[in-house]
Structures are given as C-alpha cells and as structure tokens.
Amino acid sequence: MTGIFDSGVGGLSVLRELLKLLPGESYLYFSDNAHSPYGDKTGDFVLQRSRAIVSDLIEQGCKIIVVACNTATSAAISQLRQEFDVPFVGMEPAIKPAVLKTRSGVVGVLATAGTLKGEKYHTTRDRYAEGVAIVEHVGRGFVELVEQGRLSGPEVEKVVAESVAPLVEAGADALVMGCTHYPFLSDVIQKVASSLSPTTEFSIIDPASAVARRFLSLRQKQEDYNPQWEQKSGDYQVQFQASGSDENLRRLYELYVLNQ
Ligand code: DGL
C-alpha cells in the first residue's frame, strides 16, 4: 500500500497521476485538514505534523510515502528520510522544465509562503535558473478556493488575477504550480493570464506527472511490488482519512479525480 498526504485536497492532483501509472495499487490518502493551510505555518509545525502522519501511515501498512505537498516536502522530507525506513517521494519545484519552456526568459512561480522561503526551493532555483529571471508570488486565496471546489467564475478569476498579474506584468510566460492545490486552478490561471497579455502563449507547469514517474520507479523496486497493479481492473483502491471531517475530501475526489 502507498501512503500519500497533504494539508487538504491538493494532493489529489498528485494522486490522479499516480492512478494513471499504477491504477491497481492500494492507496491511503491522509488530509490534515484540521491543520490546513500549511503555507503560513512555521516549518517546525509542518515537520511535527508530517512526522505524526507518516508514522501513522506506516503503522497502517504503507510501504512508501508520497509527500503530495510542496510545503511539507520543503519543511520535512530530509528529516523524514532520516527517521523512517521507507522510501519517500516529494514534490520538486518545477523550475527546470519551466526554464526549458520559457521564451520570454522570465519564469513565474506560484507557491505558498512556506515553500518560497524554504532552503529546498532556493537551492533548486539557484541550480536551474541561470540566464533566466524568476519572479515569485504566493497564490493568495488559491488553497481556500480549491478546498471549496470553486474553480471558475468571476469571483475566482478576481482572486486568481491578484496573484497572477504581477507575474504577467514582469513578463513571465511559463508559470510553475509550486503548490499541489494550484493545478486545479490551471484553466482559470491560463484564462486570466491570457486576458492580461493576449499575445503571450503561456505554459502552465505542474510537476505531478514527473513525481508519479519517480514514484513508479521506486515502487517497482520494492519486494511486495506486483506488475499487475499497472493494469486497471475494477474500481480504484483508495482509502481516505483526515484529521478533521473527511466528507469534503471524498466529494472532491469524485469531482477532481473520478469525473475529470
Ligand atoms: N498543497 C500544499 C502545498 O503543496 C499546501 C497548501 C497549504 O496548505 O497551504 O504546498
């Protein structure tokens, strides 16, 4: 069984990619919605929560953990790797593919405050961003919209425009989704960016499919791996748990993963 966690429903954008590559595996998805959002909490708080969640997932039989949250990856993954004896897959800020994609020479990164101030993000940016300008912005209010299942309409566009406009005005044409909640807003982000700069062709970059490929290669090496999991037969095996109510999580799984 694979464990996967996030502060809320954002990790569903990663789970849907895992299900494409390994539809027959069993997944246990944990949403820490009683402590969400993580983005404005201290790194220490996010580490404590991640540690407690991972310990619980392993106790329930998970053989590998996907940290489907950029903020938790940044705050906790190196420590988790030292403390627990299972493989971990974390989120990578997708600077490298964005640098390859940009034509304007400006990459825009949308992420939480926690991710943007983390060491991991700075290291990645310094490694890959040579010759390209990077502009950053917190996606203010994005997590709340996605948790409420609100992905379109004039009010959503207004919230999205406030964080996307500074990146478009700085000349960014490649926009990195640096938080796992944000890909659910990619249509509206694309629409808002295009209306602000109609002549620019925008690329929205979501690292989830690359993370899923990394997950698959690690999972394939494990003793209990069964190649039949690569075929879909019947319903997905996904269990949900949450620190608060799991009702919203189940509803949004239907909407974001099953009915997309
Ligand atoms: N989805 C998470 C991330 O990727 C956390 C968002 C939040 O809780 O602020 O960063």
Side-chain angles (χ1 to χ4, degrees):
M1 183 161 66
T2 290
I4 169 166
F5 76 96
D6 178 44
S7 64
V9 300
L12 295 176
S13 70
V14 180
L15 177 64
R16 67 180 173 183
E17 298 301 324
L18 305 184
L19 289 170
K20 282 182 198 164
L21 295 188
L22 212 51
E25 161 70 315
S26 303
Y27 298 90
L28 174 51
Y29 185 108
F30 187 89
S31 157
D32 197 15
N33 53 359
H35 305 97
S36 162
Y38 278 176
D40 51 13
K41 304 283 193 305
T42 65
D44 228 32
F45 178 85
V46 176
L47 171 61
Q48 302 307 334
R49 289 302 309 149
S50 302
R51 190 182 267 140
I53 294 164
V54 166
S55 157
D56 196 42
L57 291 173
I58 292 175
E59 208 155 285
Q60 294 185 70
C62 294
K63 302 281 187 256
I64 181 167
I65 305 289
V66 180
V67 184
C69 172
N70 295 70
T71 313
T73 301
S74 168
I77 202 162
S78 2
Q79 194 65 29
L80 295 172
R81 285 192 170 119
Q82 284 177 31
E83 292 177 19
F84 297 95
D85 197 19
V86 297
F88 285 88
V89 185
M91 301 307 298
E92 277 293 322
I95 306 274
K96 192 178 165 191
V99 167
L100 294 173
K101 201 98 197 180
T102 178
R103 287 192 256 172
S104 66
V106 184
V107 165
V109 178
L110 289 162
T112 67
T115 297
L116 292 177
K117 60 174 192 254
E119 198 186 307
K120 193 178 163 73
Y121 171 70
H122 289 268
T123 317
T124 311
R125 190 186 58 184
D126 296 345
R127 182 179 313 152
Y128 296 115
E130 227 185 271
V132 162
I134 308 280
V135 283
E136 293 137 4
H137 208 281
V138 172
R140 276 191 223 297
F142 290 18
V143 169
E144 290 75 4
L145 290 173
V146 172
E147 289 289 330
Q148 291 160 14
R150 294 169 63 206
L151 307 185
S152 61
E155 275 173 51
V156 174
E157 284 171 28
K158 191 164 169 262
V159 173
V160 166
E162 272 167 32
S163 299
V164 168
L167 303 180
V168 173
E169 279 155 21
D173 63 349
L175 303 174
V176 174
M177 304 292 101
C179 165
T180 54
H181 280 76
Y182 299 177
F184 293 118
L185 290 166
S186 57
D187 286 350
V188 68
I189 292 170
Q190 181 74 255
K191 182 175 177 197
V192 163
S194 301
S195 73
L196 289 164
S197 178
T199 54
T200 307
E201 213 176 285
F202 290 96
S203 310
I204 308 268
I205 311 210
D206 173 9
S209 55
V211 169
R213 287 195 297 276
R214 168 91 187 122
F215 157 73
L216 180 64
S217 73
L218 289 175
R219 191 73 182 103
Q220 281 169 333
K221 289 190 195 103
Q222 294 189 287
E223 245 173 42
D224 65 323
Y225 185 75
N226 180 349
Q228 284 179 359
W229 294 339
E230 290 164 29
Q231 313 303 326
K232 185 171 192 303
S233 66
D235 290 342
Y236 295 129
Q237 308 295 312
V238 186
Q239 295 176 60
F240 292 103
Q241 293 175 359
S243 50
S245 158
D246 64 5
E247 202 181 308
N248 194 44
L249 177 62
R250 289 171 194 280
R251 179 178 75 89
L252 293 178
Y253 168 68
E254 300 262 325
L255 195 69
Y256 291 168
V257 178
L258 298 183
N259 298 334
Q260 61 158 355

